Amino acid sequence: MKLKAACSISMTAASDCPMVAMLRPRSGQTQWVISERYDLHPWAPVDEFADGYGNLCQRLVVPQGQMQINVEVVMEVEDHIAVAHDAPKTPITELPADVLHYLLQSRYCPSDMMQDQALTVVARAAPGYAQVEQIRAWIHDNLEYRYGVSTPSTDALDTLAHGAGVCRDFAHVGIGLCRSLQIPARMVVGYLHGLKPMDLHAWFEAFVGGRWYTFDATQDAPRGGRIVLAYGHDAADVAFISDYGLQPLQLDDMQVEVTATDSILPPDFAQDDPGGD
C-alpha cells in the first residue's frame, strides 16, 4: 500500500528556542520512503541525527516569532500487520542484545509494580503472542478512550486508576503489562490511515516468537496502513517536538492528513474510531 502523509505544524516562540523534532520516518523492512518534503517557514539551519533508538531527529533553533513546519512523505507500507497467535514467548537467553533493554521499567511504564494486574489480565493465555493479544483486548474492552483525563505526567498506573485515557496512555498500559511478564515491549508513534479524527497516533510493539509484532488497543482488530515515525521506551522518548527554551514553544495549530494513493480500502476500514491523540 502506498500512503501519502502530511503534517503541518504552526508554532510561536517568545524568544529564540532550541528544539528537536521527530517528523521524518525512516525506511525499513515494513516501510519504505518513496519521496519526502520538509519545509520550514521561515527557514532555519537544521542538523539531523539518529538517536539511540535509530529515530531520525531534526535539531534547530526556532527564531523568535512564528514558524511553520510542513512535512509530506509518500511511503510504501504493509496493508496488513503480521499476526501470529501461536508465537511463543522468546526466552530471555535468546533475546537479541538490542531488545533486552525493553524489559526495563521506564518513566511512564512502571512495570515493576504491574505484575499482579498482568497475571489477572492474561489468565490462562499461552505465554507469548496470546498473552499480548489478551492484554490488548483487555485494554480495549476495559479502558475508556477519553480526552482530558490524562496529563503529560500520567503513567500507566494512573491510567489504570482512572479507567480512561488516550492512545499514548493505552500504549503505556500495554507496555507495562507486557514487561511485567518479561515480554519486551516498546512505544511507537506515527500515522494510521483511516484514523478519525486524524492525528499523530501511538501504539505498542511486543517481541515474541523472535520478532516484533504490532498491537493497538484503540482498535478492535489488527489493522495495517501504518507509518512509523519513532520508537522508544515510552512517550518520553518519542515526542514529535521537544523544546528547550527559557519559555516553552506555543503550539498554535497542527493538521495531519493521511491518504492512500494506490489502493481502494473496504468500506468498513475507515469507520470512525476514537484512536486520535
Side-chain angles (χ1 to χ4, degrees):
M1 173 193 290
K2 280 192 183 122
L3 292 181
K4 178 181 177 181
C7 181
S8 178
I9 300 173
S10 299
M11 64 192 76
T12 301
S15 59
D16 289 0
C17 182
M19 182 189 85
V20 176
M22 289 186 188
L23 293 169
R24 287 190 59 212
R26 54 178 172 153
S27 294
Q29 288 185 330
T30 61
Q31 63 180 34
W32 195 262
V33 179
I34 297 172
S35 65
E36 61 179 332
R37 179 175 63 88
Y38 199 110
D39 290 336
L40 302 176
H41 302 282
W43 180 83
V46 179
D47 178 30
E48 186 166 74
F49 64 94
D51 67 10
Y53 302 96
N55 304 315
L56 296 180
C57 303
Q58 301 83 51
R59 182 179 181 182
L60 66 147
V61 175
V62 178
Q64 181 179 9
Q66 292 184 319
M67 171 174 271
Q68 184 166 4
I69 301 177
N70 297 311
V71 183
E72 182 178 288
V73 295
V74 176
M75 305 281 296
E76 189 75 46
V77 302
E78 294 181 310
D79 293 65
H80 306 283
I81 59 174
V83 173
H85 294 291
D86 296 329
K89 180 178 177 180
T90 303
I92 302 298
T93 54
E94 296 177 16
L95 289 173
D98 61 352
V99 173
L100 274 171
H101 62 101
Y102 288 110
L103 289 169
L104 302 174
Q105 65 267 24
S106 59
R107 165 67 181 83
Y108 294 104
C109 305
S111 53
D112 55 326
M113 297 183 284
M114 299 178 71
Q115 187 180 63
D116 289 346
Q117 178 74 58
L119 292 173
T120 299
V121 169
V122 301
R124 297 183 180 87
Y129 188 100
Q131 287 182 326
V132 185
E133 172 55 22
Q134 188 83 356
I135 288 170
R136 183 212 62 79
W138 183 89
I139 296 170
H140 181 270
D141 294 342
N142 290 275
L143 299 184
E144 179 187 357
Y145 194 99
R146 180 160 30 109
Y147 294 99
V149 177
S150 56
T151 70
S153 64
T154 298
D155 67 15
L157 291 176
D158 296 328
T159 299
L160 288 172
H162 296 151
V166 292
C167 60
R168 69 169 246 163
D169 304 312
F170 282 26
H172 285 154
V173 173
I175 292 166
L177 293 174
C178 285
R179 290 180 188 163
S180 74
L181 299 174
Q182 296 189 340
I183 296 175
R186 63 186 181 183
M187 182 89 161
V188 191
V189 296
Y191 302 99
L192 173 59
H193 179 250
L195 190 67
K196 292 185 180 180
M198 181 53 67
D199 203 342
L200 290 177
H201 189 49
W203 59 94
F204 72 99
E205 292 183 353
F207 194 92
V208 293
R211 57 157 289 179
W212 290 105
Y213 288 92
T214 296
F215 297 88
D216 189 343
T218 70
Q219 309 299 305
D220 59 6
R223 183 167 170 179
R226 297 171 187 268
I227 298 174
V228 173
L229 285 175
Y231 299 100
H233 273 86
D234 56 30
D237 298 323
V238 295
F240 66 92
I241 287 180
S242 299
D243 62 90
Y244 302 95
L246 296 176
Q247 295 177 276
L249 285 171
Q250 176 181 314
L251 184 62
D252 300 320
D253 185 52
M254 185 170 76
Q255 300 293 326
V256 178
E257 182 179 1
V258 182
T259 55
T261 64
D262 68 344
S263 63
I264 299 175
L265 302 175
D268 61 345
F269 184 86
Q271 290 179 344
D272 288 3
D273 68 76
D277 195 352

